[in-house]
Amino acid sequence: MAKSSKGSRLKRHGKALAVGLASALGLLVVVGAGTYAAFRLSPWPSALLIRQAFDAGAVDVSDALESYVPRNVSSILDENYTVGDGQRPAQEGHRNAYLDVYFPADLAEGEKLPTVVWSHGGAYISGDKEQIGNYARVLADRGFTVVSVGYAIAPGAKFPTPIRQVNKALGYLVEHSDRLHVDPNRLFLAGDSAGSHISAQLAVVITEPTYAQALGVTPTVNPEQIAGMLLYCGPYNVRSINLSGPFGRFMTTVLWAYSGDPNFSENEYFALANVTDYVTAAFPPSFISAGNSDPLLPHSVTLADRLEQLGVPTDTLFFPTDHKPGLGHEYQFVLDTEAGQLALERSVEFLEQAVGSANPPDASPQ
C-alpha cells in the first residue's frame, strides 16, 4: 500500500487528531463561565458545539489515511441491521442503524473471515460509521472482515442505546454471515474511545447473564462466538473521571448527555456503565492500548490490570510516560508515526494469535 511522506502530512494528521478535543475543551471553558442559561439547563448546546469540533477533526483524520488505503478491498455499505423488526432510523439526520462491511476483494462467494466489529468513537455525542471506513479498509487488507457499526448518539439517544444497537448488529451479521463474509464463530469486538467502552460493555453483556439482565439487554450471540477484543483509548469507569478543570467540564457535558441525568455520578442505573466493576473471568481475551498523553490512559491501565487479576488473557500496548512526542487520544489512527504503525501491527498480531488459538465452536445465535 502507498505510504505518505512525513513532514507536512504528519503535522496535518497530528493536528487533526488534537483539534477535536482541544476545540471542545476551549468551548467548554467559555460555556463554564455561565454566560448563557441554556448551557446550564441542558447538555444540548454544549454537546452540539463539541460535536461540530469532533466531527471536523475526525474527517481530517480519515482523509489523512487515504494514502494507506489498499486497492484490493471491497465493501458492502449501508446495511440496515434493523430490517425485519419494524424500526427505521431517522434521528438527527444520522443513519444510525446501518453498518458497513469491508473485506479482501478476492474472496469467493460465501467465503468467511474472522470478523472485527468496530464501534466508532466520538464521546457518545458525535461520530459515524464512515469516519472509521479508511482504517477499516487498512485492517481488512490484513485478512479480516471488518464491520463499522453506526449507532444513535447523545443527547438524542441515551445510555444504553448504543449497546443495544451494536448487540442487534451482531445478530444481523450472524444471520447474514454468508453474504457478508462474516465468520460467526470468530467475532472480535473493537472500538476507539467511546466505542471502546460500548464494545467492552457489550462483551460483559454477552459473558455475564446477571449484568445483561440488569442492563436489560438480551445477547444475540453466545460467549463462545466472541474470539477477542480490541480496545483503544476508552473510558471504562465514570466514577474515576476527574471532573475538575476544562477536561472535567467536557466530560461533565458528555456524561450528562449520555446518561440523561445532570447528577449522573449518583444515578444507580448509569453506574452499570462502570465496566471495571462488572468484568469477570469470562471476559474475552483482550488487546488494550492508549497513548501516554491521553487523559483517559488510566482507564485502560486499570481495565488491563483488572482483567489480568481475573486471569483473562490480556495483551497491552502502553508507552513510557516520557515518550516523545506525547501520544494523545486516538494515537492509533496516525499511521504516519511509528507508534501508529506499531499499534496496527500489534493489533493484527493479536487477532491472528486469537484466531490461531481458537477452536471454533458449533455456536449459533440465542
Side-chain angles (χ1 to χ4, degrees):
M1 71 182 68
K3 291 187 178 181
S4 65
S5 61
K6 296 188 178 180
S8 61
R9 276 188 52 83
L10 178 55
K11 288 183 179 179
R12 182 168 73 90
H13 203 158
K15 182 178 180 181
L17 278 174
V19 70
L21 184 56
S23 298
L25 293 182
L27 290 168
L28 265 293
V29 169
V30 175
V31 170
T35 306
Y36 301 104
F39 287 97
R40 301 193 302 268
L41 299 175
S42 168
W44 273 99
S46 299
L48 292 178
L49 289 173
I50 294 170
R51 182 181 302 170
Q52 183 179 15
F54 267 49
D55 283 345
V59 169
D60 285 345
V61 169
S62 178
D63 289 347
L65 288 169
E66 283 285 353
S67 63
Y68 290 92
V69 174
R71 297 179 181 274
N72 60 334
V73 171
S74 296
S75 61
I76 299 174
L77 306 179
D78 296 327
E79 290 278 311
N80 183 346
Y81 58 80
T82 65
V83 169
D85 66 4
Q87 299 183 30
R88 291 296 181 269
Q91 180 184 334
E92 301 178 33
H94 288 269
R95 295 177 300 162
N96 57 50
Y98 286 77
L99 56 81
D100 296 334
V101 185
Y102 305 91
F103 48 87
D106 57 357
L107 290 186
E109 182 177 355
E111 186 177 355
K112 304 175 182 180
L113 293 178
T115 301
V116 179
V117 182
W118 196 293
S119 299
H120 66 78
Y124 315 103
I125 60 176
S126 70
D128 60 52
K129 62 183 178 62
E130 287 83 3
Q131 292 172 359
I132 301 298
N134 282 341
Y135 195 80
R137 291 180 175 93
V138 171
L139 192 55
D141 186 52
R142 305 299 290 269
F144 306 97
T145 296
V146 182
V147 180
S148 180
V149 181
Y151 57 84
I153 54 179
K158 306 294 191 297
F159 169 85
T161 297
I163 295 95
R164 297 183 190 277
Q165 288 185 285
V166 180
N167 178 56
K168 185 181 290 292
L170 283 181
Y172 181 88
L173 291 170
V174 170
E175 182 180 357
H176 299 273
S177 59
D178 289 342
R179 179 172 60 86
L180 300 179
H181 303 287
V182 170
D183 186 335
N185 294 321
R186 292 187 294 180
L187 300 170
F188 293 86
L189 298 182
D192 61 287
S193 194
S196 182
H197 182 213
I198 291 165
S199 292
Q201 278 198 268
L202 183 54
V204 182
V205 165
I206 294 168
T207 58
E208 179 47 56
T210 302
Y211 181 79
Q213 183 177 11
L215 200 63
V217 180
T218 301
T220 57
V221 298
N222 298 321
E224 295 81 7
Q225 293 173 265
I226 307 300
M229 310 289 296
L230 282 180
L231 302 175
Y232 276 100
C233 309
Y236 303 110
N237 197 306
V238 174
R239 286 193 302 244
S240 65
I241 292 176
N242 184 352
L243 298 179
S244 62
F247 185 72
R249 294 193 191 108
F250 162 76
M251 289 304 304
T252 296
T253 293
V254 165
L255 297 176
W256 179 8
Y258 189 41
S259 68
D261 185 353
N263 298 314
F264 54 84
S265 61
E266 300 176 7
N267 187 306
E268 293 185 5
Y269 185 66
F270 193 54
L272 292 170
N274 298 324
V275 169
T276 48
D277 292 344
Y278 297 99
V279 292
T280 69
F283 197 82
S286 298
F287 176 85
I288 301 173
S289 183
N292 66 309
S293 294
D294 188 339
L296 295 176
L297 171 61
H299 289 250
S300 292
V301 173
T302 298
L303 177 61
D305 288 345
R306 179 61 181 147
L307 293 179
E308 290 176 351
Q309 291 170 4
L310 291 168
V312 176
T314 306
D315 190 11
T316 62
L317 177 57
F318 298 128
F319 298 84
T321 57
D322 60 351
H323 184 281
K324 300 295 182 182
L327 302 173
H329 194 60
E330 304 279 43
Y331 83 93
Q332 75 281 356
F333 291 142
V334 190
L335 293 184
D336 284 334
T337 66
E338 292 182 3
Q341 287 288 340
L342 176 61
L344 175 62
E345 295 304 321
R346 288 284 300 275
S347 294
V348 171
E349 179 182 340
F350 170 81
L351 294 170
E352 291 176 342
Q353 289 180 348
V355 168
S357 63
N359 182 18
D362 183 17
S364 60
Q366 293 178 338

